Amino acid sequence: MNIKALFGSAVVLAVVAYGATTSYLVHYDHETAPKLSSLSPTNNNPKAKAAFDTIAEARCDYCHTKDAKLPFYASLPVAKQLMQRDIKRGLQHFQIQPVLNALEKGEAVDEESLARMQFVVEHDMMPPKMYLTMHWHAALGEKGKKAMLEWIKESRIKNYDAAGLVAPQFQSEPIQPIPAADFSDKEKIALGERLFFDKQLSGDGTLNCASCHGLNKGGVDNLVTSTGIKGQKGPINAPTVYNSVYNKLQFWDGRAKDLQEQAAGPVMNPLEMGSHDWAEVSKRVMAQPGYKEAFTKVYGGQANQERITNAIAVYEATLVTPDSRFDQYLKGHENAINEQEKRGYALFKDLGCASCHVGKAMGGQSFEVMGLEGDYFGKRGHPSDADQGRFSQTHNALDMHRFNVPTLRNIELTAPYFHDGSAKTLEEAVREMVRYQTQKGQIPEKDVQDIVAFLKTQTGSYRGHNLATITEEEAGILPSK
């Protein structure tokens, strides 16, 4: 037997088979790819259309949607297991169906999705190299990368910087400055503020909203878990009330759709403020001087759950903290932050932190898996129901350990960190995030310090007072406008 000839024939057959397979995949990928309807407004937006076509041609939907029609090899032994693993990982990391839906409708794509796509495009992470061995035509190329980045920039300018606060050189950045609060509804805000500090909302008259959300403590209580009525301890770390108006959903698990619904929760929670019914709460409130007149003037009637929580929510919407040094930098003041802080920001983006900590609040725009790149809960031990995160509300297996991404604004003031309060210092929090949320696993200590220095530029002001030194009295005085 002529071994060389046999080997040569095998090579030829392999090349022919590979060519036939890839040719088939080119056709299959094109024919089954997501497509815009003829009525989609995106057809009339060249940059958005180019971005949609790039996403479709790369077949991001294979691993980042739940019901994509997969190529034939996805049902073959070994390949099937690999594909199922990749799809599970893909859905944990990012789901692209909402992006496709928004583009079909001509609507704004959310900030977190824009940041995720920007990160993977700039770092040449998608499509994966192994995938490209069979789907070589799916590579983005310089044209595809340019199309994506131009559309992302356009989307941010159009949808997320309406106030025009971002300097031209920073319009591609995933973070925007916080605008000033709107204090125009003075009487409702004043009523909400009084209620925020009113201990009659609690069952025994000992607690108010500020008990867990101290406005002179970065909007938190600096405890691992909060102390509720009769000294009871809650199961989870208190998130800051500052800038919570920017959250898509409220609480770590997203169980409240907005600030008004959030305001109602703790009042009736037996571990928190411990009241039993809103009729009794309303009665206690109305028995105090001034409330009858205030509720009548603002709402035309007496206090009830709807009006109490609405007033608190309107007040909480004013608890924003603009004018941080980093915001000044984004507005074009290059010297507002120093060289170490600029290095920290560059590292923050390079590690992918800005893929989740996006927008004005640098958080609150998505729910992410804690331990995406490592077994955080296995290492920590002592599991609790609070560790379920978003799963406790959706009962979707993909939401297990998925939490509302916390804001990084004023982060130097809000220790301890994470939903479980396990990170005592900002340095520890950075190391843990790198370890469990990024593919790096570990970075030099100098890089940790640079990132911490950057994070400390996020401390803003409330009512003209720097949050690092603000007193309760200063935080409780309405501006005289």
Side-chain angles (χ1 to χ4, degrees), residues 437-448:
Q437 302 302 118
T438 79
Q439 296 181 5
K440 289 281 187 181
Q442 187 175 5
I443 56 175
E445 186 60 25
K446 179 182 181 300
D447 290 354
V448 172

Side-chain angles (χ1 to χ4, degrees), residues 10 13 23 46 55 58 97 106 136-137 139 145 147 149 234 248 270-271 275 280 289 302 311 317 412 455 463:
L13 288 173
S23 179
I55 293 169
Q97 192 62 55
W136 52 266
H137 54 283
K145 292 178 184 178
L149 296 177
K248 283 189 171 181
L271 293 179
S275 287
E280 181 61 32
Q302 295 189 358
E412 67 174 319
L455 292 174
R463 293 177 176 172

Side-chain angles (χ1 to χ4, degrees), residues 419-439:
H419 76 285
D420 56 8
S422 61
K424 308 306 179 189
T425 68
L426 202 46
E427 289 81 0
E428 183 182 354
V430 170
R431 294 188 197 100
E432 291 289 275
M433 284 289 98
V434 172
R435 179 178 182 182
Y436 291 108
Q437 302 302 118
T438 79
Q439 296 181 5

Side-chain angles (χ1 to χ4, degrees), residues 135-200:
H135 302 258
W136 52 266
H137 54 283
L140 296 188
E142 291 306 313
K143 181 180 178 182
K145 292 178 184 178
K146 182 181 179 182
M148 291 295 296
L149 296 177
E150 286 185 350
W151 166 68
I152 289 169
K153 179 179 179 179
E154 179 187 73
S155 297
R156 287 200 178 114
I157 295 171
K158 178 182 178 181
N159 301 305
Y160 300 112
D161 187 32
L165 297 178
V166 182
Q169 65 269 34
F170 296 126
Q171 288 179 331
S172 291
E173 297 300 306
I175 303 167
Q176 297 88 41
I178 295 175
D182 179 4
F183 287 100
S184 59
D185 198 349
K186 291 183 180 181
E187 291 174 343
K188 187 177 287 188
I189 292 168
L191 176 57
E193 180 176 32
R194 182 178 176 186
L195 290 163
F196 185 88
F197 289 101
D198 195 335
K199 293 182 179 180
Q200 290 305 311

Side-chain angles (χ1 to χ4, degrees), residues 212-330:
C212 297
H213 301 286
L215 300 189
N216 65 332
K217 297 180 179 180
V220 299
D221 53 17
N222 298 126
L223 300 174
V224 173
T225 61
S226 296
T227 303
I229 192 169
K230 298 179 181 178
Q232 298 178 95
K233 300 299 290 184
I236 204 162
N237 185 258
T240 181
V241 69
Y242 280 120
N243 304 307
S244 58
V245 66
Y246 296 117
N247 292 343
K248 283 189 171 181
L249 297 172
Q250 303 295 328
F251 296 119
W252 286 102
D253 59 9
R255 65 183 180 274
K257 66 180 180 181
D258 54 27
L259 286 176
Q260 183 168 355
E261 201 169 279
Q262 180 277 325
V267 177
M268 293 295 146
N269 190 312
L271 293 179
E272 296 185 49
M273 299 175 78
S275 287
H276 298 293
D277 66 80
W278 278 100
E280 181 61 32
V281 170
S282 300
K283 182 178 178 180
R284 291 198 301 266
V285 167
M286 291 299 289
Q288 299 178 77
Y291 270 128
K292 180 178 179 180
E293 294 79 8
F295 272 97
T296 299
K297 188 171 185 179
V298 173
Y299 292 104
Q302 295 189 358
N304 57 30
Q305 177 181 350
E306 171 69 20
R307 292 166 177 171
I308 290 172
T309 56
N310 176 257
I312 293 173
V314 170
Y315 165 65
E316 288 183 341
T318 71
L319 299 179
V320 298
T321 59
D323 301 323
S324 70
R325 289 195 295 118
F326 185 66
D327 278 0
Q328 295 302 319
Y329 175 71
L330 291 177

Side-chain angles (χ1 to χ4, degrees), residues 49 64 98 126 144 176 204 220 275 296 342 393 400 421 478:
K49 178 66 163 57
H64 296 281
M126 291 289 164
Q176 297 88 41
D204 62 359
V220 299
S275 287
T296 299
K342 290 176 183 177
Q393 305 302 308
M400 181 61 75
L478 281 168

